[in-house]
Amino acid sequence: MPRILIVGGGYAGFYTAWKLEKLLGRGEAEVTLVDPLPYMTYQPFLPEVAAGEIEPRHVVVGLRRHLKRTTVIAGKITGISHATKTATITPIAGDDTFEQGYDQIVVTAGAVSRTFPIPGIADNAIGLKTIEEAVAIRDRLTSNFDKASVLPAGPERDRLLTVVVVGGGFAGIEVFAELRAYASSLLKQYPTLTFDDTHFHLIEAMGRIMPEVSQKTSEWVLADLAKKGAFVHLDTQVKGAVDGVVELSTGENLPTDLIIWTAGVMANPTVVRGSDLPVEERGRIRTRPDLRVGTDEDIVEGAWAAGDVSAVPDLSGGGVGGFCVPNAQHAVRQGKLMAKNIVAVLRGEEPKQYFHKNLGAVAGLGLYNGAFQSGNIALTGLIAWFAHRGYHGLAMPTWERKFRVVGDWMQNFLHGREVVSLEAVQQPRAAFEEFAARPRPAAPAADAPAPVEKKAEPVAAK
């Protein structure tokens, strides 16, 4: 059977495997997916996870649970030799790598946070690309409220209750607004703290936020955030974050215990640099409109790519630099089409080109508030919030996951969001170790009596 190897289990990888299972006949091909994580994360819900509106496990889709006919390998692809059609796999357990052969390779390794060599960022900031990061953000902010509630007013309390988000794109604005709303709801549980004790700052190097929406909608979001006591610093860069003090290009310093970095992404460098597939100037795999790797003149047979790791031409004319922007809207649709194209090639048919015109952009800005833009149509406030939840509720893969997410929303409507921190789970053995009995150290051996020296007796002369 032809062997199909999928690199990465994110949007594009999961949907490719999921669709292949529906299209391929029994025994028509063998599908293998490699990813170090056992789940696909629905990233648009990460801001709501960080704000305690959705249970973390409900926004991830188990690969083994939903891919019944796909072999899932827990590991990383650390090398691709398409010349020999082999991939090097480093499993998550053990140190021994091994080679995996294939006939068709699908590179959907996604993207990682793109940072700059700013002092202190690597040591003190956290991204928002994984479910683990979203949970850590929620727990950190909630724990900081606990700590601040027993401190007198002063620099240390201000530091604990200051949140700095770097990046004014959709991810940055959503997590910024959601956390601002979450902090306001937390104040009801902490009578010793007031609204004025909390400080929220968003840093954006450009002169506007949310380039995906119109200028008018962007300005509305800025005004709405200002009304809620959140500060947005436009045309401002981060110069340093040493010891948690964010230094801005304006000369202002912001001591904080929570720095969230959302200022861009880049194609997964581990996969891109470890392969012999063609790469364009921005570090993405060069991909044709039909999702085969290569150019219009040169096709790399047996190699496919989609999602954030690829440079797919945007035939609708709406992409940045002529390529599809890295978002879930494209990755999901590319994954579905790629599965159809792979099956078509296996059956001797021609693949189809990817064409998708951006449907618009929708953002959640805290409970009962949002922003929506589709062409010249712009909605804000409550109706946009309903549009946000409606769109993403439908886009969440599998009915089982949809029901869980909608159930969380209903529970929050009836009982309010959960405001408990589980930060201690990051050191799960701390309580056990504190009181665990340990063997007593062995008693020192008793001093043995010194040996008595015997005097040599004279030898009798013969």
Side-chain angles (χ1 to χ4, degrees):
M1 289 190 295
R3 299 164 298 172
I4 302 172
L5 179 63
I6 302 175
V7 183
Y11 295 119
F14 172 79
Y15 274 94
T16 299
W18 205 25
K19 192 72 173 178
L20 281 172
E21 290 192 350
K22 298 174 183 178
L23 297 175
L24 289 170
R26 291 285 180 181
E28 189 173 2
E30 176 185 295
V31 181
T32 301
L33 186 148
V34 181
D35 196 286
L37 297 174
Y39 49 78
M40 181 273 276
T41 302
Y42 191 73
Q43 293 180 356
F45 280 149
L46 292 183
E48 292 193 52
V49 171
E53 294 178 30
I54 303 178
E55 177 65 26
R57 283 188 175 88
H58 294 172
V59 303
V60 298
V61 180
L63 299 178
R64 298 178 188 275
R65 178 171 185 170
H66 295 283
L67 299 178
K68 303 296 186 182
R69 296 167 54 195
T70 301
T71 300
V72 177
I73 298 177
K76 290 182 179 181
I77 297 286
T78 51
I80 298 173
S81 173
H82 194 64
T84 60
K85 289 198 172 182
T86 58
T88 303
I89 300 177
T90 302
I92 61 173
D95 300 324
D96 295 332
T97 62
F98 61 92
E99 302 295 320
Q100 178 83 12
Y102 62 83
D103 298 294
Q104 304 281 335
I105 190 165
V106 178
V107 184
T108 55
V112 299
S113 295
R114 176 174 61 92
T115 59
F116 306 102
I118 299 172
I121 287 295
D123 300 319
N124 298 303
I126 186 171
L128 191 65
K129 288 289 293 177
T130 68
I131 190 67
E132 293 83 5
E133 289 172 326
V135 172
I137 290 170
R138 170 186 169 181
D139 286 342
R140 172 65 64 86
L141 181 58
T142 311
S143 293
N144 283 356
F145 267 75
D146 287 327
K147 297 172 184 177
S149 66
V150 295
L151 292 175
E156 179 59 18
R157 191 165 81 174
D158 286 341
R159 185 184 71 85
L160 290 171
L161 298 180
T162 296
V163 175
V164 176
V165 176
V166 184
F170 255 69
I173 289 295
E174 284 194 293
V175 73
F176 185 64
E178 291 283 1
L179 290 179
R180 172 66 273 185
Y182 180 50
S184 297
S185 69
L186 282 174
L187 289 170
K188 302 173 186 177
Q189 318 295 330
Y190 297 91
T192 59
L193 302 176
T194 67
F195 182 87
D196 292 335
D197 292 326
T198 60
H199 315 283
F200 281 74
H201 298 268
L202 184 136
I203 318 301
E204 170 54 47
M206 306 297 289
R208 61 164 296 182
I209 60 170
M210 303 172 72
E212 300 90 343
V213 302
S214 67
Q215 183 71 32
K216 184 178 179 181
T217 303
S218 172
E219 291 173 353
W220 181 90
V221 174
L222 285 173
D224 184 69
L225 290 170
K227 285 192 300 184
K228 296 175 180 177
F231 299 92
V232 178
H233 305 256
L234 298 178
D235 294 313
T236 305
Q237 296 178 341
V238 175
K239 294 296 185 182
V242 178
D243 296 329
V245 178
V246 178
E247 178 188 352
L248 305 182
S249 57
T250 58
E252 188 176 0
N253 291 328
L254 303 172
T256 177
D257 193 53
L258 182 54
I259 306 169
I260 304 170
W261 183 274
T262 64
V265 297
M266 64 179 180
N268 190 321
T270 302
V271 173
V272 172
R273 295 171 187 169
S275 81
D276 57 357
L277 299 174
V279 177
E280 48 93 66
E281 56 274 10
R282 293 188 60 185
R284 299 172 297 180
I285 294 176
R286 194 176 295 278
T287 310
R288 292 161 42 88
D290 60 10
L291 304 179
R292 286 184 287 185
V293 174
T295 63
D296 291 337
E297 298 78 22
D298 185 19
I299 302 174
V300 181
E301 295 291 349
W304 307 77
D308 296 356
V309 78
S310 64
V312 179
D314 191 339
L315 301 183
S316 72
V320 178
F323 296 100
C324 297
V325 296
N327 63 21
Q329 195 173 133
H330 282 300
V332 169
R333 289 169 173 80
Q334 289 171 4
K336 293 178 179 179
L337 176 64
M338 187 156 54
K340 295 178 181 179
N341 283 351
I342 292 172
V343 173
V345 168
L346 291 178
R347 294 173 181 173
E349 302 169 5
E350 286 296 315
K352 295 181 179 179
Q353 293 188 334
Y354 175 74
F355 180 91
H356 172 68
K357 189 172 183 179
N358 189 12
L359 298 176
V362 60
L365 304 174
L367 284 175
Y368 315 122
N369 197 23
F372 170 83
Q373 183 84 43
S374 180
N376 295 324
I377 301 174
L379 304 173
T380 55
L382 181 62
I383 189 170
W385 180 78
F386 276 117
H388 171 267
R389 291 211 160 175
Y391 172 78
H392 286 299
L394 291 173
M396 183 72 189
T398 80
W399 284 104
E400 173 253 340
R401 294 287 107 176
K402 296 181 197 292
F403 287 136
R404 290 181 187 272
V405 169
V406 173
D408 287 340
W409 288 338
M410 294 176 63
Q411 289 288 341
N412 289 338
F413 179 77
L414 295 173
H415 306 296
R417 71 179 97 200
E418 187 58 70
V419 295
V420 174
S421 169
L422 295 178
E423 192 172 28
V425 77
Q426 297 175 30
Q427 293 87 31
R429 297 187 65 251
F432 178 81
E433 287 185 85
E434 182 179 0
F435 300 103
R438 291 176 170 81
R440 293 184 178 181
D447 294 337
V452 178
E453 293 184 4
K454 294 183 178 180
K455 294 181 179 180
E457 296 182 1
V459 179
K462 291 185 181 179

